[in-house]
């Protein structure tokens, strides 16, 4: 068959998807592609365009799998080639530079352009749009050294643009014509919460504002004049008031148009001329243009099928506009008929104005199906709701339970992967069904989520389906009888929990013994520290004793935290945050003597940075002399128990929160665990110590204490859940002993209590049964194990400085006492910091 | 004992074998250069590699955990955990990157390292 000449006009996201589909289907031999793109570079990820401001370069955003992707596949790609005319009779296109290209089939993928309202002054310098990398360069240039920026349009893109302007340090305003933000996607309730959140970030929102004109002021500033007489002075105006399809070429060549613009196409994405296709934002299917990338990708695939005359071509029958975004750090999700416009539909809504979360479900008239939803403030339910919506899954009776918080935190929908039909769409960005994912897992015998994702592409768009992909994989593996490997690493075919049991049951005390009996090889940087931690939790022998030293990560090996330049930091324990004046003085003296940078940490204590290995024992000797102990800032172990002042000083305190915090810190200090442990104790419900954000935390009540567990700050903050309320101090310690040991026994390596809890079947009820009601009959054991650790505690640093054998190991060089010449400090504010590489490179080149 | 070597190449005494705990590394400063001496196992199997970690740009390789990946002996950088083969210094994660490797000889428990200038 003769090669067909296919010309693609536009090399945006969808134009590129068309080319990629041709290549992936192995059609590049049969179809000779010429791609004419107006922009100076090949296609890039417009969806993540804003990341350019965060430092992702144009190259980083490129959609091409490799630089030579087009050339390597025989595609004639021309950048900076704007098509000026189409001659449908001669079947040619003419570019602005006069060059002419002949086609057998033509694909228009010209996208849209930002809509700039026809206002007087809208073309003044400083009035800009947000669509291409060149637009962003113009915005950056204009913003530099200026103070105020206004975004016209409070929709999705407007808020995203506002964020970009805000991050450049400008005072940011959003001007919206409608009475609320994101009028198209969300309803009043959601919009109100979104507005509060956006305003809390310092963005000023002006709704119901009709801009009438823009005037130039002196010094190239601008003034916006509104219909209500108000005005706003600014340095920059960014129009984000919607987009319009770029259909001018098609119109000039006489192709049929949609009634509201856009190039009219049928279910094959064919225009009124059978040799011409239109895909992406420029196409109008059933009079509708889609401003999202997913429908465009579907169109590209459909067009390829028809152009290549595939035996069973796919068709485009419309698309769903569900979206989930993070706008200015606020999750916003909208699914299906979010506004509840379907006649007879029902609405269930939940507003929490304290944590600023809004959720709304729209149900079918018979209440059996989800037909729409809105999420603002917390988008974690999006993936599950979308699956319910797309697959028309029959809803549970008490549907409110899905969106209201239950005891024990986040709402859960009992949606098991096995409940889904094979046709269920899992990834809507890339249109991947459950069947396709399961098929790939079975065909390739995948065991890793990453492999499934790279093979099926599910999860490579917005990412919201990744959890479902993982669930599917695990369900598949389980069904196939394959153990879902939670093996620690290649040296042990056991989970951390199993290793813990082996160590205890067989009374194993060294790594060598464990690997000889239950593992293979010599170990690695994953299993060695994990086993070291297990041995320490079980037998509590000094971690840097000769038996265990080689297992430790550098932090544990030198009982200090490694910094970027190879020096270490020193963090003495300050139980409950209490510190005496003499200790403060001693800290200052030590810091001065050894020239250590000093900082108050986020954990109510002091960190001294920049100590060289050989200085550590001497520094600690001086600290120990005034009563300090190791703060274990380096270990997977208890960090701090933060406290507030409580009844001792505070007019609201109801219990001695400092006293209890100090007691808890002493009890659990040195305890090794799968990950670090943090705790806090607050003197009343005002919660100044932030106990609900800790692995275990206590809040004083009139009657005693409330004990919360499994909270987390850090990367994924999560509130703790109430394990027991109004309990005595003695109960607090007893339940905490049991809780911690149960966690240490059963958690995976490097799994904080919060993630461990999220996987715990039965949730808080189960945990209460185990820890309070002793349903497993192990509480006595757990308490005994903790008692052993408490009784055998020794301050690691005190042990280390006294033991000449251990002390010898704190040397930078084995053959000389010379200090490390690569450590170079430079002054910074009133102290100093390690020189950056560039600052010391020349000096060090020779010694590398 | 020492064999005649070209003037630019020399064997340097670094330390005693027992100065390096089994399965551990220590650093030595030899002729202005930082060398990581790594003891694979409990015996006299000692490797000398550059102490400079090209990923973190800190001189810390000697403080990494020693073990194996798929049976190949490696040391893991203590900073970002890339693995380097003890035999030739090549990085497992990125074969373009490698640490310099120096010849080692053990004489009556003394660790000697060969450096060229
Ligand atoms: C020093 C300090 C920052 C400061 O100057 O304030 C700090 C410094 C480090 N943090 Fe942190 N964190 C510090 C308080 C916190 C807090 C606040 C708190 O504890 O109240 C948090 C959030 C609370 C939480 O963990 O739930 C925090 C969340 C993290 C995380 C994220 C943990 C998570 O589960 O998401 C990491 C990474 C990790 O552990 O894997 C981390 C890791 C680190 C490491 C160890 C990173 C590293 O490997 O180099 C830093 C080295 C410390 C050093 O060299 O001494 N740091 N870090 C704070 C020490 C507190 C202390 O006295 O011990
Ligand atoms: C900041 C931003 C954030 C976004 N976020 C999301 C999101 O989160 N989710 C989502 O689904 N969508 C999002 N979008 C929309 C998404 O980027 C578009 O839906 C998608 O890019 C459409 O692809 P397209 O190929 O149809 O159009 P485009 O990507 O615009 O590509 C069209 C290309 O054709 C070129 N062209 C036009 N006319 C000619 C001509 N005559 N000759 C030659 N070349 C021509 C243009 O220069 C352009 O390069 C976002 C858009 C922006 C700007
Ligand atoms: S938590 Fe309560 S007792 Fe503690 S400082 Fe705050 S108000 Fe005072
Ligand atoms: S749904 Fe967006 S990546 Fe899968």
């Amino acid at each position: 068959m003769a090669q067909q000449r296919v010309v693609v006009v536009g090399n945006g996201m969808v134009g590129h998807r068309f080319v990629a589909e041709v290549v992936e289907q192995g059609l590049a031999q049969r179809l000779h592609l010429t791609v004419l793109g107006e922009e100076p570079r090949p296609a890039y990820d417009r969806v993540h365009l804003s990341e350019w401001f965060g430092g992702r370069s144009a190259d980083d955003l490129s959609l091409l799998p490799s630089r030579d992707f087009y050339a390597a596949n025989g595609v004639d790609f021309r950048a900076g080639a704007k098509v000026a005319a189409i001659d449908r009779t001669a079947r040619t296109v003419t570019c602005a530079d006069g060059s002419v290209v002949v086609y057998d089939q033509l694909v228009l993928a010209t996208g849209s352009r930002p809509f700039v309202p026809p206002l007087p002054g809208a073309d003044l310098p400083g009035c800009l749009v947000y669509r291409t990398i060149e637009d962003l360069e113009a915005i950056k240039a204009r913003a530099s050294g200026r103070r105020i920026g206004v975004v016209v349009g409070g929709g999705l893109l407007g808020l995203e643009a506002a964020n970009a302007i805000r991050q450049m340090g400008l005072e940011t305003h959003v001007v919206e014509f409608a009475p609320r933000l994101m009028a198209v996607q969300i309803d009043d309730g959601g919009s109100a919460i979104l507005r509060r959140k956006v305003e809390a970030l310092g963005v000023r929102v002006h709704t119901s504002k009709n801009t009438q004109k823009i005037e130039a002021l002196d010094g190239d500033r601008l003034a916006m004049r509104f219909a209500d007489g108000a005005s706003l002075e600014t340095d920059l105006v960014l129009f984000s008031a919607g987009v319009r399809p770029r259909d001018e070429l098609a119109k000039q060549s006489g192709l049929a148009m949609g009634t509201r613009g856009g190039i009219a196409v049928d279910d094959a994405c064919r225009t009124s001329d059978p040799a011409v296709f239109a895909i992406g934002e420029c196409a109008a299917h059933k009079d509708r243009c889609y401003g999202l990338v997913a429908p465009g990708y579907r169109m590209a695939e459909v067009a390829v099928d028809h152009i290549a005359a595939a035996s069973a071509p796919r068709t485009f029958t419309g698309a769903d506009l569900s979206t989930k975004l993070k706008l200015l750090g606020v999750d916003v999700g909208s699914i299906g008929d979010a506004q509840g416009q379907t006649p007879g539909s029902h609405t269930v809504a939940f507003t929490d104005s304290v944590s600023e979360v809004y959720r709304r479900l729209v149900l079918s008239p018979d209440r059996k199906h989800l037909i729409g939803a809105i999420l603002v403030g917390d988008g974690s339910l999006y993936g599950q709701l979308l699956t319910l919506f797309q697959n028309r899954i029959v809803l549970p009776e008490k549907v409110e339970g899905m969106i209201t918080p239950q005891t024990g935190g986040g709402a859960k929908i009992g949606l098991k992967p096995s409940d889904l039909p094979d046709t269920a769409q899992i990834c809507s960005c890339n249109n991947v069904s459950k069947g396709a994912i399961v098929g790939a897992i079975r065909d390739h015998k995948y065991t890793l989520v990453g492999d499934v994702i790279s093979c099926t592409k599910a999860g490579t768009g917005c990412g919201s389906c990744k959890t479902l992909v993982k669930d599917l994989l695990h369900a598949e593996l389980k069904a196939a009888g394959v153990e879902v490997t939670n093996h620690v690493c290649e040296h042990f075919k056991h989970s951390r929990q199993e290793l813990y049991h082996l160590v205890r049951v067989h009374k194993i005390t060294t790594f060598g013994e464990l690997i000889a009996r239950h593992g293979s090889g010599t170990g690695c940087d994953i299993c060695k520290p994990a086993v070291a931690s297990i041995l320490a939790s079980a037998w509590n022998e000094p971690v840097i004793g000769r038996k265990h030293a080689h297992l430790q990560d550098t932090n544990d090996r030198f009982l200090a935290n490694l910094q970027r330049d190879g020096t270490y930091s020193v963090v003495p324990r300050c139980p409950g945050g209490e510190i005496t004046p003499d200790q403060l003085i001693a800290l200052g003296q030590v810091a001065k003597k050894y020239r250590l940078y000093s900082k108050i940490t986020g954990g109510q204590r002091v960190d001294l940075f920049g100590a060289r290995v050989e200085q550590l024992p001497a520094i600690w000797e001086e600290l120990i002399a005034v009563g300090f102990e190791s703060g274990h800032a380096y270990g997977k172990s208890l960090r701090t128990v933060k406290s507030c002042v409580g009844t001792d000083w505070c007019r609201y305190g109801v219990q001695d929160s400092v006293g209890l915090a100090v007691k808890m810190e002493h009890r659990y200090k040195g305890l090794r665990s799968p990950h670090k442990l943090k705790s806090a104790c607050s003197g009343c419900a005002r919660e100044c110590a932030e106990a609900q954000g800790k692995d275990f935390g206590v809040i004083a009540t009139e009657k005693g204490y409330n004990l919360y567990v499994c909270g987390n700050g850090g990367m994924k903050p999560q509130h703790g859940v109430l394990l027991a309320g109004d309990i005595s101090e003695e109960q607090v310690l007893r339940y905490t002993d049991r809780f911690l040991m149960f966690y240490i026994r059963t958690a995976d390596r490097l799994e904080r209590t919060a993630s461990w809890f999220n996987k715990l079947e039965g949730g808080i009820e189960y945990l209460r049964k185990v820890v309070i009601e002793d349903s497993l009959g192990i509480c006595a054991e757990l308490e005994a194990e903790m008692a052993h650790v408490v009784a055998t505690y020794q301050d690691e640093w005190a042990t280390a400085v006294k033991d000449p054998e251990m002390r010898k190991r704190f040397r930078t060089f084995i053959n000389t006492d010379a200090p490390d010449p690569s450590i170079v400090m430079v002054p910074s504010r009133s102290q100093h910091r390690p020189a950056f590489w560039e600052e010391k490179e020349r000096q060090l080149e020779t010694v590398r | 004992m020492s064999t005649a070597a070209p003037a630019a190449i020399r064997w340097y005494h670094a330390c005693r074998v027992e100065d390096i705990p089994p399965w551990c590394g220590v650093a030595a400063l030899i002729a202005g250069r930082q060398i990581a001496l790594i003891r694979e196992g409990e015996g006299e199997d000692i490797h000398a590699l550059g102490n400079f970690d090209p990923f973190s740009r800190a001189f810390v390789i000697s403080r990494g955990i020693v073990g194996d990946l798929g049976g190949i002996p490696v040391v893991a950088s203590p900073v970002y955990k890339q693995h380097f083969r003890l035999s030739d210094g090549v990085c497992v994660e990125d074969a373009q990157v490698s640490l310099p490797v120096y010849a080692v000889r053990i004489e009556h428990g003394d660790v000697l390292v060969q450096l060229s200038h």
Side-chain angles (χ1 to χ4, degrees):
Chain A
M1 198 196 283
Q3 226 190 9
Q4 284 195 67
R5 289 161 300 182
V6 179
V7 172
V8 184
V9 183
N11 185 235
M13 297 190 74
V14 174
H16 169 73
R17 181 74 207 114
F18 178 90
V19 178
E21 181 73 16
V22 167
V23 171
E24 279 163 27
Q25 288 199 26
L27 299 168
Q29 298 296 320
R30 263 174 58 200
L31 305 178
H32 177 266
L33 298 186
T34 304
V35 178
L36 305 170
E38 168 196 55
E39 294 190 63
R41 57 175 62 77
Y44 52 88
D45 187 351
R46 213 179 294 288
V47 169
H48 293 103
L49 188 62
S50 300
E51 292 174 16
W52 183 86
F53 285 112
R56 274 187 80 184
S57 67
D59 271 353
D60 296 338
L61 287 169
S62 172
L63 289 177
L64 274 55
S66 62
R67 248 171 215 282
D68 65 346
F69 177 75
Y70 287 152
N73 289 290
V75 176
D76 177 5
F77 168 67
R78 306 185 199 168
K82 178 173 179 168
V83 173
I86 304 172
D87 182 340
R88 294 199 286 116
T89 328
R91 297 206 169 171
T92 60
V93 297
T94 307
C95 295
D97 67 0
S99 55
V100 176
V101 187
V102 184
Y103 67 81
D104 298 313
Q105 313 243 32
L106 179 65
V107 179
L108 300 174
T110 48
S112 352
R113 67 160 45 89
F115 170 64
V116 177
L119 300 172
D123 51 355
L124 285 169
C127 291
L128 302 166
V129 295
Y130 199 83
R131 177 95 192 169
T132 64
I133 289 189
E134 285 67 35
D135 292 339
L136 302 201
E137 285 168 350
I139 294 168
K140 195 170 177 188
R142 175 79 190 179
S144 142
R146 293 181 215 243
R147 225 165 44 78
I148 305 179
V150 176
V151 175
V152 178
L156 289 178
L157 282 183
L159 292 179
E160 190 157 325
N163 195 30
I165 292 187
R166 186 181 73 102
Q167 282 171 349
M168 283 187 286
L170 268 61
E171 175 186 313
T172 308
H173 297 256
V174 172
V175 171
E176 167 60 51
F177 180 72
R180 60 171 201 247
L181 293 177
M182 284 187 69
V184 186
Q185 289 84 5
I186 61 181
D187 64 359
D188 283 338
S191 191
I193 290 207
L194 178 64
R195 179 181 185 139
R196 277 206 296 280
K197 291 211 157 202
V198 167
E199 284 177 338
L201 294 169
V203 174
R204 308 206 191 158
V205 178
H206 313 265
T207 45
S208 304
K209 276 269 183 269
N210 183 359
T211 314
Q212 295 216 299
K213 61 177 169 193
I214 298 170
E215 288 169 7
L217 301 179
D218 289 346
D220 85 352
R221 301 198 71 211
L222 302 166
M224 304 181 65
R225 310 274 181 224
F226 302 111
D228 59 4
S231 64
L232 185 58
E233 283 190 22
T234 177
D235 296 307
L236 182 166
V237 176
L238 196 53
F239 287 105
S240 190
V243 293
R244 296 289 179 269
R246 295 188 64 174
D247 52 13
E248 59 276 1
L249 275 178
K251 204 183 279 173
Q252 283 157 17
S253 69
L255 289 171
M257 294 288 121
T259 45
R260 282 170 297 165
I263 310 164
V265 295
D266 61 12
D267 289 1
C269 294
R270 222 181 228 117
T271 66
S272 54
D273 176 344
V276 183
F277 290 75
I279 57 179
E281 287 194 358
C282 65
H285 177 260
K286 299 204 169 117
D287 272 347
R288 183 164 188 186
C289 291
Y290 291 92
L292 293 174
V293 72
Y297 280 1
R298 292 300 83 69
M299 293 183 191
E301 291 153 15
V302 167
V304 170
D305 282 3
H306 288 271
I307 288 174
S311 52
R314 288 167 281 188
T315 54
F316 183 82
T317 52
D320 166 33
L321 288 179
S322 302
T323 37
K324 179 185 163 200
L325 298 124
K326 214 178 186 76
L327 295 166
L328 290 137
V330 183
D331 279 341
V332 177
S334 154
I335 292 174
D337 176 12
Q339 310 276 16
Q341 284 162 347
T342 307
S345 61
H346 305 275
T347 295
V348 190
F350 164 78
T351 313
D352 178 345
S353 48
V354 179
S355 45
E356 313 233 285
V357 170
Y358 176 83
R359 305 188 181 103
R360 169 191 173 125
L361 303 182
V362 181
L363 310 179
S364 58
D366 61 3
R367 293 175 194 262
K368 284 216 171 97
H369 303 286
L370 184 72
I371 59 172
I374 296 176
L375 302 170
V376 177
D378 171 16
S380 55
L381 290 180
Y382 180 81
Q384 298 189 49
L385 291 177
L386 188 64
T387 310
L388 290 176
F389 163 72
Q390 287 174 332
N391 302 296
R392 289 188 61 75
I393 290 168
V394 177
L395 297 172
E397 283 282 303
K398 282 228 162 56
V399 75
E400 312 75 50
M402 295 198 321
I403 54 169
T404 49
Q406 300 152 341
T407 11
K412 290 233 168 73
I413 303 173
L415 187 68
K416 287 209 276 327
S418 49
D419 296 344
L420 296 172
D422 266 3
T423 50
Q425 192 187 46
I426 300 296
C427 177
S428 51
C429 289
N430 299 292
N431 192 19
V432 189
S433 66
K434 173 182 164 186
I437 293 173
V438 169
I441 296 172
R442 288 184 189 158
D443 293 351
H444 303 280
K445 305 213 166 24
Y446 286 134
T447 54
L448 299 173
V449 185
D451 290 342
V452 181
I453 289 178
S454 31
C455 168
T456 61
K457 295 211 172 58
T460 54
C462 67
S464 63
C465 61
K466 275 189 197 160
T467 352
L468 274 170
V469 175
K470 189 174 120 214
D471 291 349
L472 280 176
L473 174 67
H474 286 183
E476 243 344 271
L477 292 176
K478 234 185 202 161
V482 182
E483 201 189 328
V484 177
T485 71
N486 42 11
H487 295 169
V488 166
C489 69
E490 62 179 59
H491 302 102
F492 289 98
K493 305 260 171 283
H494 294 283
S495 67
R496 180 191 172 279
Q497 182 176 354
E498 287 159 355
L499 289 182
Y500 185 89
H501 284 293
L502 290 171
V503 163
R504 279 224 174 255
V505 172
H506 300 292
K507 306 234 163 7
I508 292 173
T509 60
T510 63
F511 178 82
E513 201 182 335
L514 186 69
I515 198 163
R517 290 176 62 175
H518 302 285
S520 63
T522 61
C524 65
D525 56 308
I526 310 255
C527 59
K528 284 185 163 185
V531 170
S533 158
I534 292 173
L535 293 172
S537 304
W539 317 123
N540 209 21
E541 293 174 332
V543 294
I544 62 162
R546 199 169 172 91
K547 274 178 9 189
H548 305 311
H550 69 102
L551 306 175
Q552 312 295 352
D553 254 321
T554 182
N555 283 8
D556 272 315
R557 198 165 141 204
F558 293 105
L559 304 176
N561 293 55
L562 178 70
Q563 305 300 317
R564 63 177 167 85
D565 64 339
T567 62
Y568 288 82
S569 77
V570 170
V571 189
R573 192 168 286 294
C574 299
E578 259 185 349
I579 187 160
T580 65
D582 282 335
Q583 287 178 319
L584 275 175
I585 290 168
L587 278 180
Q589 282 166 341
V590 168
K592 241 180 160 166
K593 176 163 169 193
Y594 295 93
R595 271 185 47 81
L596 303 175
Y597 163 83
S598 320
K599 182 178 184 301
I600 308 285
T601 73
Q604 286 190 343
R605 50 190 185 170
V606 177
D607 201 343
L608 306 177
F609 294 81
R612 300 194 308 268
V613 171
E614 71 272 16
Q615 295 177 316
L616 289 169
I619 291 173
W620 273 102
E621 227 160 20
E622 293 185 32
L623 294 173
I624 289 167
V626 291
F628 281 117
E629 292 181 316
S630 168
H632 296 95
Y634 45 80
K636 300 295 174 232
S637 53
L638 181 77
R639 294 289 163 87
T640 66
V641 182
K642 291 210 304 189
S643 76
C644 73
V645 284
T647 38
D648 275 0
W649 294 91
C650 179
R651 61 197 163 131
Y652 296 115
V654 292
Q655 304 285 354
D656 176 13
S657 47
V658 187
L660 182 54
V662 170
K663 197 174 276 177
M664 290 202 295
E665 186 150 346
H666 281 304
R667 185 167 183 82
Y668 303 117
K669 65 188 177 187
L671 173 69
R672 300 284 156 158
S673 51
H675 206 314
K676 59 193 175 193
L677 292 168
K678 297 183 177 185
S679 176
C681 180
S682 283
C684 82
R686 287 169 191 73
E687 245 286 67
C688 301
E690 301 172 310
Q692 290 168 97
K694 302 292 174 204
D695 297 280
F696 57 105
V698 177
I699 302 177
T701 65
E702 300 276 349
K703 297 193 203 115
Y705 298 96
N706 287 343
L707 173 59
Y708 290 83
V709 292
C710 303
N712 205 137
M715 283 171 272
K716 210 168 160 292
Q718 181 168 324
H719 275 148
V721 286
L722 185 69
L723 182 69
D726 286 328
I727 53 175
S728 67
E729 181 178 310
E730 189 263 322
Q731 281 172 308
V732 167
L733 298 180
R734 181 144 34 100
Y735 294 159
T736 306
D737 281 3
R738 296 172 177 180
F739 161 73
L740 289 175
M741 271 300 168
F742 184 52
Y743 158 69
I744 289 173
R745 269 192 184 192
T746 55
D748 217 338
R749 67 176 263 284
L750 296 187
E751 186 171 56
R752 288 283 292 270
T753 55
S755 6
W756 168 76
F757 177 77
N758 294 344
K759 286 198 224 152
L760 200 65
E761 288 210 13
I764 186 67
E765 276 78 32
Y766 175 71
L767 192 58
R768 279 198 196 111
K769 282 200 184 105
V770 175
V771 170
I772 301 177
E773 294 161 26
D774 197 9
S775 61
L776 301 179
I778 54 169
C779 285
E781 248 173 74
L782 297 175
E783 284 176 37
E785 287 168 8
M786 184 64 84
H788 172 75
V789 172
V790 174
T792 52
Y793 167 82
Q794 36 176 310
D795 173 21
E796 290 169 352
W797 265 113
T799 310
V801 296
K802 274 190 303 228
D803 181 333
E805 171 68 18
M806 285 186 196
R807 215 174 152 139
K808 240 177 48 193
R809 271 189 254 136
F810 290 87
R811 292 192 69 163
T812 294
F813 298 118
I814 197 73
N815 59 340
T816 161
D817 289 333
D820 182 346
S822 77
I823 295 172
V824 180
M825 295 291 163
V826 295
S828 165
R829 289 180 290 279
S830 314
Q831 304 190 61
H832 57 268
R833 61 159 171 83
F836 288 110
W837 181 248
E838 302 71 44
E839 293 167 321
K840 62 179 178 185
E841 181 167 26
R842 202 162 321 127
Q843 189 178 339
L844 293 177
E845 248 161 21
T846 49
V847 295
R848 251 194 280 168
Chain B
M1 271 286 289
S2 65
T3 42
I9 300 181
R10 250 193 73 184
W11 287 95
Y12 291 85
H13 180 263
C15 61
R16 300 274 306 159
V17 170
E18 64 270 19
D19 289 338
I20 317 175
W23 295 109
C24 282
V26 299
L29 187 64
I30 303 179
R33 226 175 290 181
Q34 291 204 26
I35 313 288
L37 297 166
I38 290 169
R39 182 166 174 195
E40 185 193 343
E42 329 253 323
E44 297 198 333
D45 200 355
I46 290 177
H47 305 264
L49 305 165
N51 197 32
F52 179 74
D53 172 8
F55 294 97
S56 66
R57 294 172 164 180
F59 290 76
V60 292
I61 293 298
S62 58
R63 304 181 209 159
I65 290 183
V66 184
D68 76 278
L69 282 189
I72 297 169
V74 292
V75 57
S77 160
V79 184
Y80 301 123
K81 320 291 177 196
Q82 288 87 359
H83 300 86
F84 300 93
R85 298 203 292 239
L86 296 183
S87 57
D88 56 9
V90 171
C91 173
V92 175
E93 285 76 16
D94 182 353
Q96 310 275 38
V97 179
S98 63
L99 306 179
V101 184
Y102 306 94
V104 175
R105 211 170 69 205
I106 313 295
E107 272 175 25
H108 311 297
D110 284 318
V111 179
L112 306 179
V113 179
Q114 191 186 48
L115 285 196
S116 59
H117 275 277

